[in-house]
Amino acid sequence: MATGLIKSFPAFPSSRLTLCYISGYRSTCATSLKAHCVQNYAKQHGYGYMAWDHRPDASVQAWFDESYALLTQGEEGEDPPAMILVGASMGTWLALLLAKAQPRRIKGIIGVGGAVNVTEKWLRQDSPSPDDPTLIWPRPSRYAPEGYYMISNAMLIQSRKALWNPNDTVSCPVRLIHGADDPDAPLADAIKLAQDLSGAAADCTLHVIPDGDHRLSRPEDLAVLEKQLDNIISEIPVDKR
């Protein structure tokens, strides 16, 4: 199962809105500045908050299954609060999948440095032998202490079950935030995602930070995230008290 679950209950027990932070690959919600930003925002406004870590070697399909279980556990026969999902990097991919699976509950998505279907790029473009399901290979990463992460082709292949189809859509508004200087998830990918979602009748906008990188964790980046939270919460038709 997913690890590192953090669940904060709202300051106002009657709150009908929970903010959910979904981290990216090898990121931990306890150390993420973006996660802290969302958690503090929820606390200040009296909303619920949830976040958790993914198993690092599991596929995106497994991440989705475990995330879905966390969001729905203990809710049979209940009227659960609405949710806004804030997905960072690959967490944006998961947020889209979860919103598609739970259209009545998920009321909005904010994607920060979204990296959708990135495992397929790693397999096709980076893996030394894409057709070998037993291969484990080092992929360079600026975020790894050793300078690389060991990647399993099996994980990448299993993640194909969760690939986001360009014709897929969600019923909630999607607000994408992306850095123009993102070295890990090119801005062109975010533009295409926004175009695909808009073309599939989704309410999607893209906010580009001209000098932004992939992490988007500077104070000025977090201010944009807070502003997008203000905007999307003002739009959703739920009782937020």
Side-chain angles (χ1 to χ4, degrees):
M1 287 296 293
T3 61
L5 175 65
I6 298 175
K7 186 171 183 178
S8 300
F9 293 96
F12 307 109
S14 61
S15 176
R16 300 298 302 151
L17 180 64
T18 295
L19 307 184
C20 177
Y21 181 81
I22 307 175
S23 60
Y25 185 72
R26 302 281 180 129
S27 179
T28 60
C29 56
T31 59
S32 166
L33 294 176
K34 293 185 292 293
H36 292 168
C37 175
V38 176
Q39 186 175 27
N40 290 336
Y41 184 99
K43 183 177 180 180
Q44 291 168 8
H45 292 82
Y47 304 140
Y49 173 79
M50 284 184 67
W52 58 90
D53 298 336
H54 311 296
R55 290 187 292 127
D57 297 322
S59 70
V60 176
Q61 180 62 46
W63 290 3
F64 167 77
D65 293 338
E66 293 167 0
S67 298
Y68 185 89
L70 282 173
L71 293 189
T72 58
Q73 67 182 359
E75 293 173 356
E76 186 174 348
E78 298 181 9
D79 180 22
M83 277 194 160
I84 290 177
L85 308 182
V86 180
S89 189
M90 291 170 70
T92 300
W93 180 2
L94 284 170
L96 290 169
L97 294 171
L98 290 165
K100 182 183 176 184
Q102 289 192 295
R104 290 176 52 185
R105 183 177 185 189
I106 307 304
K107 301 300 184 181
I109 294 173
I110 298 177
V112 185
V116 177
N117 294 349
V118 69
T119 54
E120 193 67 8
K121 284 189 174 184
W122 293 354
L123 183 64
R124 291 183 176 182
Q125 300 177 13
D126 299 340
S127 174
S129 181
D131 297 325
D132 181 0
T134 66
L135 182 67
I136 300 175
W137 50 280
R139 182 178 185 275
S141 173
R142 70 191 75 243
Y143 312 116
E146 302 84 359
Y148 61 87
Y149 288 127
M150 296 304 296
I151 303 294
S152 162
N153 270 8
M155 181 274 284
L156 303 179
I157 293 169
Q158 291 162 8
S159 294
R160 284 177 164 169
K161 299 176 183 177
L163 289 177
W164 182 258
N165 188 303
N167 296 319
D168 286 343
T169 190
V170 293
S171 58
C172 64
V174 180
R175 303 292 176 254
L176 302 177
I177 307 170
H178 214 91
D181 295 333
D182 189 330
D184 302 299
L187 176 59
D189 291 350
I191 292 173
K192 185 178 186 307
L193 176 62
Q195 291 173 340
D196 289 343
L197 288 170
S198 298
D203 173 9
C204 179
T205 62
L206 171 62
H207 181 100
V208 178
I209 298 178
D211 61 344
D213 60 4
H214 184 57
R215 286 191 162 176
L216 294 178
S217 294
R218 302 170 302 177
E220 58 266 39
D221 301 328
L222 299 179
V224 172
L225 173 55
E226 291 178 341
K227 182 63 176 177
Q228 291 293 339
L229 281 167
D230 287 340
N231 293 341
I232 202 167
I233 289 172
S234 70
E235 299 173 12
I236 60 176
V238 298
D239 181 2
K240 297 175 276 286
R241 295 174 298 173

